[in-house]
Amino acid sequence: MTDSDFAVVEFVLTALTYNEDDELDPDDLPPAYRTPFWSEGAIERPLAVTVDTVAKATGVSHPWEAVSGLMFTDYDDFTGEIQFTDRSMADDWYLDRVRDDDLEENPVLTAAYEGDRDVSYTRARENNRPARADRAFIDALLEEYFDDDEEDEMLDLVDVRAPEEIEMTLDDIVLTGEQEGEIQKIVKAIEHREYLANIGLREIGKLLFVGPPGTGKTSVARALASKLGLPSVEVKLSMITSQYLGETAKNVEKTFEVAKRLSPCILFIDEFDFVAKTRASDEHAAIKRAVNTLLKSIDEVSLIRDEVLLIGATNHPDQLDAAAWRRFDEIVNFPKPDAPMRADILEIVTRDMEIVDFEPEELAELTEGLTGSDLRLVLREAVLEALTEERTTLTQQDLVDAVADFEERDTLKNLDMIEGDHDALVAGGSFDNDGHDH
Ligand SMILES: Nc1ncnc2c1ncn2[C@@H]1O[C@H](COP(=O)(O)OP(=O)(O)O)[C@@H](O)[C@H]1O
Ligand SMILES: [Mg+2]
């Protein structure tokens, strides 16, 4: 058996089954199989089984050649369609070869063969990424929502990521016990949201991440989206309110609309302290209105009803007022990492590297006060330094030196902030302006 004949047969069987059974919907199709059929945010029946669509869905570049040797296949020159001349022979051929685990990755075929094999359609469907998490669906939705030019610009301010595009995982992030507990709770709440709705428990699903820059707030929000297989809608408050004054309140509303339409999803609102700042100062009336709209929208969105998990983040909890705080039902603290956490972070960020005499605990002792983001920068410096000597293997000493460099640079940066003397830094040469904010 070559893999490509199997891949093509599986796809053709899936498309034929899907076309015959109206009960099935796009959420039953494996995500890759949906790719060639998206059109303006929808997938229409029948799915055409042409060499083009098969190639796109399976990655097999010459699909007809891959299956032309099989007894039950045929090719229509005119339409470009791959056909099965004997369906039951095709079924048997496929069932002889597929493993239960792999079959369950395909809800359409699991539904068709559930009686013959030890597989569950319910489970297959639950584990299949739904169509509304596909990039193509998200793009179509955004296009529908923000169609004129000004609204298009709004899209520069809202960052929508499909789960397939998120690389960050929770395993890449070192968490405190409290953070793990909170994440566990929210994962469970989402799994059991119907139950929560039934018992009338609705005050859940609004988290505020609080902590200094570089402590993993953005990373955790994204990793959560990836773990839950949900799209994430990210907005930075300063951005959303700084450019399109008159439209701002409307844009805030639209952001929430989009989140609701994409639901279930995560709506991540960064720089939440901006709210309090605006309320306190004599900002433009349009901004004040936008902030009030924001607060109202937060009140009106619900994890249980709308399936939108709201995560706010702030570097400046001291600037938040009561009106902002009380809108969140869980506050998750992101402290600077302690020594054991720093050692763990160093282990993680150096996972794919070779380091002679590596002793993360020793480095952890040397890096009091540094965040996860700082530790990444330290490592980057060490790597680049070593490369200047044509070395791709690091030593513990390289890292110790990089820590010293980092501390020196950090001191200079703080001086800079105090004196506001940017020229001094520029003249100094190779300093980063701000490594924190990614
Ligand atoms: N606890 C941590 N464990 C692993 N990596 C971390 C941690 N905290 C920060 N980082 C890394 O530092 C970088 C910046 O983190 P980020 O999530 O943007 O911080 P924040 O949003 O709090 O400013 C990311 O590359 C992230 O992976
Ligand atoms: Mg951030």
Side-chain angles (χ1 to χ4, degrees), residues 352-387:
D352 301 322
M353 298 177 53
E354 227 179 294
I355 302 174
V356 179
D357 300 330
F358 186 41
E359 262 189 70
E361 288 77 15
E362 184 200 8
L363 294 165
E365 292 306 324
L366 296 173
T367 47
E368 175 80 50
L370 268 57
T371 63
S373 167
D374 295 334
L375 293 173
R376 270 188 183 276
L377 291 178
V378 166
L379 179 74
R380 189 188 68 184
E381 278 313 299
V383 170
L384 295 179
E385 275 293 325
L387 281 182

mmCIF file of all heavy atoms in Angstrom, residues 352-387:
data_model
loop_
_atom_site.group_PDB
_atom_site.id
_atom_site.type_symbol
_atom_site.label_atom_id
_atom_site.label_comp_id
_atom_site.label_asym_id
_atom_site.label_seq_id
_atom_site.Cartn_x
_atom_site.Cartn_y
_atom_site.Cartn_z
ATOM 1 N N ASP A 352 15.656 22.730 22.883
ATOM 2 C CA ASP A 352 16.211 22.191 21.637
ATOM 3 C C ASP A 352 17.678 22.547 21.431
ATOM 4 O O ASP A 352 18.174 22.496 20.314
ATOM 5 C CB ASP A 352 15.402 22.718 20.444
ATOM 6 C CG ASP A 352 13.950 22.318 20.551
ATOM 7 O OD1 ASP A 352 13.693 21.175 21.007
ATOM 8 O OD2 ASP A 352 13.070 23.143 20.218
ATOM 9 N N MET A 353 18.353 22.934 22.521
ATOM 10 C CA MET A 353 19.730 23.392 22.352
ATOM 11 C C MET A 353 20.690 22.508 23.114
ATOM 12 O O MET A 353 20.336 21.861 24.076
ATOM 13 C CB MET A 353 19.862 24.824 22.865
ATOM 14 C CG MET A 353 19.005 25.788 22.096
ATOM 15 S SD MET A 353 19.136 27.402 22.806
ATOM 16 C CE MET A 353 20.896 27.586 22.801
ATOM 17 N N GLU A 354 21.935 22.576 22.647
ATOM 18 C CA GLU A 354 22.970 21.847 23.342
ATOM 19 C C GLU A 354 23.730 22.846 24.217
ATOM 20 O O GLU A 354 24.243 23.846 23.716
ATOM 21 C CB GLU A 354 23.935 21.286 22.298
ATOM 22 C CG GLU A 354 24.279 19.848 22.486
ATOM 23 C CD GLU A 354 25.221 19.402 21.389
ATOM 24 O OE1 GLU A 354 24.763 19.380 20.206
ATOM 25 O OE2 GLU A 354 26.389 19.153 21.701
ATOM 26 N N ILE A 355 23.776 22.594 25.530
ATOM 27 C CA ILE A 355 24.500 23.508 26.406
ATOM 28 C C ILE A 355 25.402 22.707 27.331
ATOM 29 O O ILE A 355 24.929 21.887 28.127
ATOM 30 C CB ILE A 355 23.526 24.361 27.247
ATOM 31 C CG1 ILE A 355 22.601 25.156 26.306
ATOM 32 C CG2 ILE A 355 24.297 25.322 28.150
ATOM 33 C CD1 ILE A 355 21.524 25.915 27.014
ATOM 34 N N VAL A 356 26.696 22.950 27.208
ATOM 35 C CA VAL A 356 27.666 22.215 28.022
ATOM 36 C C VAL A 356 27.601 22.711 29.471
ATOM 37 O O VAL A 356 27.551 23.913 29.716
ATOM 38 C CB VAL A 356 29.092 22.416 27.447
ATOM 39 C CG1 VAL A 356 30.126 21.685 28.305
ATOM 40 C CG2 VAL A 356 29.146 21.941 25.996
ATOM 41 N N ASP A 357 27.610 21.765 30.419
ATOM 42 C CA ASP A 357 27.563 22.075 31.858
ATOM 43 C C ASP A 357 26.327 22.878 32.264
ATOM 44 O O ASP A 357 26.360 23.648 33.222
ATOM 45 C CB ASP A 357 28.793 22.898 32.299
ATOM 46 C CG ASP A 357 30.099 22.156 32.055
ATOM 47 O OD1 ASP A 357 30.068 20.909 32.117
ATOM 48 O OD2 ASP A 357 31.116 22.809 31.792
ATOM 49 N N PHE A 358 25.255 22.713 31.543
ATOM 50 C CA PHE A 358 24.035 23.492 31.808
ATOM 51 C C PHE A 358 23.538 23.280 33.237
ATOM 52 O O PHE A 358 23.315 22.151 33.674
ATOM 53 C CB PHE A 358 22.956 23.080 30.806
ATOM 54 C CG PHE A 358 21.697 23.898 30.882
ATOM 55 C CD1 PHE A 358 21.743 25.275 31.057
ATOM 56 C CD2 PHE A 358 20.452 23.284 30.754
ATOM 57 C CE1 PHE A 358 20.580 26.032 31.103
ATOM 58 C CE2 PHE A 358 19.279 24.040 30.795
ATOM 59 C CZ PHE A 358 19.342 25.410 30.976
ATOM 60 N N GLU A 359 23.400 24.376 33.959
ATOM 61 C CA GLU A 359 22.875 24.309 35.323
ATOM 62 C C GLU A 359 21.827 25.400 35.519
ATOM 63 O O GLU A 359 22.128 26.498 35.990
ATOM 64 C CB GLU A 359 24.001 24.520 36.332
ATOM 65 C CG GLU A 359 24.543 23.236 36.892
ATOM 66 C CD GLU A 359 25.491 23.514 38.040
ATOM 67 O OE1 GLU A 359 24.983 23.956 39.096
ATOM 68 O OE2 GLU A 359 26.703 23.347 37.860
ATOM 69 N N PRO A 360 20.600 25.095 35.164
ATOM 70 C CA PRO A 360 19.555 26.120 35.239
ATOM 71 C C PRO A 360 19.379 26.702 36.638
ATOM 72 O O PRO A 360 19.077 27.893 36.782
ATOM 73 C CB PRO A 360 18.288 25.385 34.779
ATOM 74 C CG PRO A 360 18.633 23.958 34.680
ATOM 75 C CD PRO A 360 20.110 23.826 34.611
ATOM 76 N N GLU A 361 19.603 25.869 37.679
ATOM 77 C CA GLU A 361 19.407 26.372 39.047
ATOM 78 C C GLU A 361 20.391 27.499 39.352
ATOM 79 O O GLU A 361 20.039 28.487 39.987
ATOM 80 C CB GLU A 361 19.555 25.253 40.088
ATOM 81 C CG GLU A 361 18.399 24.254 40.094
ATOM 82 C CD GLU A 361 18.482 23.265 38.940
ATOM 83 O OE1 GLU A 361 19.569 23.166 38.306
ATOM 84 O OE2 GLU A 361 17.457 22.612 38.637
ATOM 85 N N GLU A 362 21.619 27.327 38.897
ATOM 86 C CA GLU A 362 22.610 28.375 39.142
ATOM 87 C C GLU A 362 22.191 29.677 38.444
ATOM 88 O O GLU A 362 22.241 30.766 39.023
ATOM 89 C CB GLU A 362 23.992 27.940 38.632
ATOM 90 C CG GLU A 362 25.085 28.956 38.938
ATOM 91 C CD GLU A 362 26.342 28.818 38.059
ATOM 92 O OE1 GLU A 362 26.338 28.024 37.096
ATOM 93 O OE2 GLU A 362 27.325 29.535 38.335
ATOM 94 N N LEU A 363 21.727 29.538 37.206
ATOM 95 C CA LEU A 363 21.282 30.724 36.460
ATOM 96 C C LEU A 363 20.071 31.356 37.130
ATOM 97 O O LEU A 363 19.943 32.584 37.176
ATOM 98 C CB LEU A 363 20.949 30.345 35.021
ATOM 99 C CG LEU A 363 22.138 29.873 34.180
ATOM 100 C CD1 LEU A 363 21.665 29.181 32.913
ATOM 101 C CD2 LEU A 363 23.052 31.058 33.846
ATOM 102 N N ALA A 364 19.213 30.518 37.657
ATOM 103 C CA ALA A 364 18.018 31.031 38.329
ATOM 104 C C ALA A 364 18.423 31.919 39.499
ATOM 105 O O ALA A 364 17.822 32.965 39.745
ATOM 106 C CB ALA A 364 17.136 29.873 38.794
ATOM 107 N N GLU A 365 19.460 31.509 40.220
ATOM 108 C CA GLU A 365 19.935 32.312 41.354
ATOM 109 C C GLU A 365 20.436 33.682 40.879
ATOM 110 O O GLU A 365 20.312 34.680 41.578
ATOM 111 C CB GLU A 365 21.070 31.594 42.097
ATOM 112 C CG GLU A 365 20.652 30.333 42.836
ATOM 113 C CD GLU A 365 19.484 30.560 43.800
ATOM 114 O OE1 GLU A 365 19.437 31.651 44.418
ATOM 115 O OE2 GLU A 365 18.614 29.678 43.912
ATOM 116 N N LEU A 366 21.008 33.707 39.677
ATOM 117 C CA LEU A 366 21.602 34.943 39.158
ATOM 118 C C LEU A 366 20.577 35.889 38.538
ATOM 119 O O LEU A 366 20.910 37.008 38.172
ATOM 120 C CB LEU A 366 22.637 34.607 38.070
ATOM 121 C CG LEU A 366 23.864 33.811 38.496
ATOM 122 C CD1 LEU A 366 24.684 33.437 37.260
ATOM 123 C CD2 LEU A 366 24.692 34.627 39.470
ATOM 124 N N THR A 367 19.347 35.416 38.385
ATOM 125 C CA THR A 367 18.403 36.196 37.579
ATOM 126 C C THR A 367 17.190 36.667 38.374
ATOM 127 O O THR A 367 16.097 36.818 37.827
ATOM 128 C CB THR A 367 17.927 35.375 36.356
ATOM 129 O OG1 THR A 367 17.559 34.064 36.807
ATOM 130 C CG2 THR A 367 19.010 35.266 35.312
ATOM 131 N N GLU A 368 17.396 36.901 39.644
ATOM 132 C CA GLU A 368 16.345 37.461 40.501
ATOM 133 C C GLU A 368 15.708 38.679 39.827
ATOM 134 O O GLU A 368 16.417 39.572 39.357
ATOM 135 C CB GLU A 368 17.008 37.874 41.825
ATOM 136 C CG GLU A 368 16.109 38.591 42.820
ATOM 137 C CD GLU A 368 15.236 37.616 43.582
ATOM 138 O OE1 GLU A 368 15.805 36.635 44.111
ATOM 139 O OE2 GLU A 368 14.018 37.835 43.636
ATOM 140 N N GLY A 369 14.384 38.712 39.770
ATOM 141 C CA GLY A 369 13.700 39.891 39.225
ATOM 142 C C GLY A 369 13.456 39.851 37.723
ATOM 143 O O GLY A 369 12.757 40.694 37.184
ATOM 144 N N LEU A 370 14.044 38.852 37.034
ATOM 145 C CA LEU A 370 13.824 38.769 35.588
ATOM 146 C C LEU A 370 12.530 38.008 35.287
ATOM 147 O O LEU A 370 12.159 37.080 36.001
ATOM 148 C CB LEU A 370 15.011 38.078 34.896
ATOM 149 C CG LEU A 370 16.120 39.012 34.394
ATOM 150 C CD1 LEU A 370 16.669 39.856 35.536
ATOM 151 C CD2 LEU A 370 17.225 38.230 33.726
ATOM 152 N N THR A 371 11.876 38.402 34.216
ATOM 153 C CA THR A 371 10.643 37.715 33.802
ATOM 154 C C THR A 371 10.972 36.630 32.781
ATOM 155 O O THR A 371 12.106 36.533 32.306
ATOM 156 C CB THR A 371 9.677 38.696 33.138
ATOM 157 O OG1 THR A 371 10.303 39.207 31.955
ATOM 158 C CG2 THR A 371 9.320 39.842 34.069
ATOM 159 N N GLY A 372 9.949 35.868 32.404
ATOM 160 C CA GLY A 372 10.125 34.857 31.373
ATOM 161 C C GLY A 372 10.611 35.477 30.070
ATOM 162 O O GLY A 372 11.475 34.929 29.385
ATOM 163 N N SER A 373 10.053 36.640 29.779
ATOM 164 C CA SER A 373 10.458 37.333 28.569
ATOM 165 C C SER A 373 11.930 37.756 28.645
ATOM 166 O O SER A 373 12.688 37.600 27.680
ATOM 167 C CB SER A 373 9.538 38.532 28.393
ATOM 168 O OG SER A 373 10.038 39.397 27.441
ATOM 169 N N ASP A 374 12.357 38.259 29.807
ATOM 170 C CA ASP A 374 13.768 38.627 29.995
ATOM 171 C C ASP A 374 14.674 37.417 29.784
ATOM 172 O O ASP A 374 15.728 37.511 29.157
ATOM 173 C CB ASP A 374 14.000 39.162 31.422
ATOM 174 C CG ASP A 374 13.254 40.466 31.678
ATOM 175 O OD1 ASP A 374 12.984 41.188 30.712
ATOM 176 O OD2 ASP A 374 12.962 40.746 32.857
ATOM 177 N N LEU A 375 14.253 36.274 30.336
ATOM 178 C CA LEU A 375 15.086 35.076 30.229
ATOM 179 C C LEU A 375 15.243 34.655 28.770
ATOM 180 O O LEU A 375 16.305 34.219 28.341
ATOM 181 C CB LEU A 375 14.498 33.934 31.065
ATOM 182 C CG LEU A 375 14.531 34.196 32.581
ATOM 183 C CD1 LEU A 375 13.782 33.092 33.335
ATOM 184 C CD2 LEU A 375 15.970 34.294 33.100
ATOM 185 N N ARG A 376 14.177 34.826 28.011
ATOM 186 C CA ARG A 376 14.290 34.540 26.579
ATOM 187 C C ARG A 376 15.309 35.461 25.915
ATOM 188 O O ARG A 376 16.064 35.037 25.046
ATOM 189 C CB ARG A 376 12.941 34.750 25.890
ATOM 190 C CG ARG A 376 12.099 33.523 25.863
ATOM 191 C CD ARG A 376 10.870 33.763 25.000
ATOM 192 N NE ARG A 376 10.012 32.596 25.038
ATOM 193 C CZ ARG A 376 10.183 31.531 24.260
ATOM 194 N NH1 ARG A 376 11.133 31.506 23.361
ATOM 195 N NH2 ARG A 376 9.387 30.490 24.375
ATOM 196 N N LEU A 377 15.294 36.725 26.314
ATOM 197 C CA LEU A 377 16.240 37.678 25.728
ATOM 198 C C LEU A 377 17.675 37.324 26.111
ATOM 199 O O LEU A 377 18.591 37.429 25.299
ATOM 200 C CB LEU A 377 15.914 39.099 26.200
ATOM 201 C CG LEU A 377 14.618 39.674 25.641
ATOM 202 C CD1 LEU A 377 14.368 41.067 26.210
ATOM 203 C CD2 LEU A 377 14.679 39.734 24.117
ATOM 204 N N VAL A 378 17.860 36.916 27.358
ATOM 205 C CA VAL A 378 19.184 36.501 27.803
ATOM 206 C C VAL A 378 19.687 35.370 26.923
ATOM 207 O O VAL A 378 20.816 35.389 26.415
ATOM 208 C CB VAL A 378 19.146 36.049 29.285
ATOM 209 C CG1 VAL A 378 20.414 35.291 29.652
ATOM 210 C CG2 VAL A 378 18.944 37.247 30.205
ATOM 211 N N LEU A 379 18.818 34.404 26.725
ATOM 212 C CA LEU A 379 19.215 33.258 25.917
ATOM 213 C C LEU A 379 19.548 33.696 24.491
ATOM 214 O O LEU A 379 20.538 33.264 23.907
ATOM 215 C CB LEU A 379 18.094 32.228 25.892
ATOM 216 C CG LEU A 379 18.438 31.015 25.040
ATOM 217 C CD1 LEU A 379 19.444 30.141 25.759
ATOM 218 C CD2 LEU A 379 17.196 30.236 24.670
ATOM 219 N N ARG A 380 18.723 34.581 23.951
ATOM 220 C CA ARG A 380 18.965 35.025 22.582
ATOM 221 C C ARG A 380 20.339 35.692 22.464
ATOM 222 O O ARG A 380 21.097 35.439 21.534
ATOM 223 C CB ARG A 380 17.870 36.008 22.152
ATOM 224 C CG ARG A 380 17.928 36.344 20.677
ATOM 225 C CD ARG A 380 16.987 37.453 20.306
ATOM 226 N NE ARG A 380 17.405 38.719 20.883
ATOM 227 C CZ ARG A 380 16.717 39.855 20.775
ATOM 228 N NH1 ARG A 380 15.574 39.866 20.139
ATOM 229 N NH2 ARG A 380 17.170 40.954 21.307
ATOM 230 N N GLU A 381 20.654 36.534 23.451
ATOM 231 C CA GLU A 381 21.959 37.186 23.452
ATOM 232 C C GLU A 381 23.088 36.169 23.466
ATOM 233 O O GLU A 381 24.070 36.293 22.726
ATOM 234 C CB GLU A 381 22.089 38.112 24.664
ATOM 235 C CG GLU A 381 21.447 39.458 24.459
ATOM 236 C CD GLU A 381 21.823 40.069 23.116
ATOM 237 O OE1 GLU A 381 23.011 40.322 22.857
ATOM 238 O OE2 GLU A 381 20.890 40.256 22.303
ATOM 239 N N ALA A 382 22.938 35.168 24.332
ATOM 240 C CA ALA A 382 23.985 34.141 24.438
ATOM 241 C C ALA A 382 24.160 33.421 23.114
ATOM 242 O O ALA A 382 25.281 33.171 22.663
ATOM 243 C CB ALA A 382 23.632 33.151 25.553
ATOM 244 N N VAL A 383 23.047 33.113 22.470
ATOM 245 C CA VAL A 383 23.115 32.404 21.186
ATOM 246 C C VAL A 383 23.822 33.266 20.150
ATOM 247 O O VAL A 383 24.713 32.803 19.429
ATOM 248 C CB VAL A 383 21.697 32.028 20.694
ATOM 249 C CG1 VAL A 383 21.735 31.528 19.261
ATOM 250 C CG2 VAL A 383 21.080 30.976 21.603
ATOM 251 N N LEU A 384 23.436 34.541 20.077
ATOM 252 C CA LEU A 384 24.030 35.419 19.069
ATOM 253 C C LEU A 384 25.515 35.631 19.332
ATOM 254 O O LEU A 384 26.329 35.636 18.411
ATOM 255 C CB LEU A 384 23.282 36.760 19.031
ATOM 256 C CG LEU A 384 21.832 36.651 18.564
ATOM 257 C CD1 LEU A 384 21.145 38.017 18.574
ATOM 258 C CD2 LEU A 384 21.749 36.031 17.165
ATOM 259 N N GLU A 385 25.868 35.810 20.600
ATOM 260 C CA GLU A 385 27.287 35.943 20.964
ATOM 261 C C GLU A 385 28.075 34.732 20.478
ATOM 262 O O GLU A 385 29.132 34.871 19.859
ATOM 263 C CB GLU A 385 27.439 36.040 22.494
ATOM 264 C CG GLU A 385 27.276 37.426 23.067
ATOM 265 C CD GLU A 385 28.417 38.366 22.633
ATOM 266 O OE1 GLU A 385 29.593 37.919 22.487
ATOM 267 O OE2 GLU A 385 28.107 39.548 22.425
ATOM 268 N N ALA A 386 27.560 33.563 20.785
ATOM 269 C CA ALA A 386 28.267 32.337 20.404
ATOM 270 C C ALA A 386 28.405 32.249 18.888
ATOM 271 O O ALA A 386 29.438 31.817 18.372
ATOM 272 C CB ALA A 386 27.534 31.114 20.954
ATOM 273 N N LEU A 387 27.363 32.684 18.180
ATOM 274 C CA LEU A 387 27.418 32.625 16.718
ATOM 275 C C LEU A 387 28.526 33.511 16.167
ATOM 276 O O LEU A 387 29.138 33.195 15.145
ATOM 277 C CB LEU A 387 26.077 33.040 16.107
ATOM 278 C CG LEU A 387 24.971 31.981 16.108
ATOM 279 C CD1 LEU A 387 23.725 32.530 15.431
ATOM 280 C CD2 LEU A 387 25.429 30.702 15.409
#
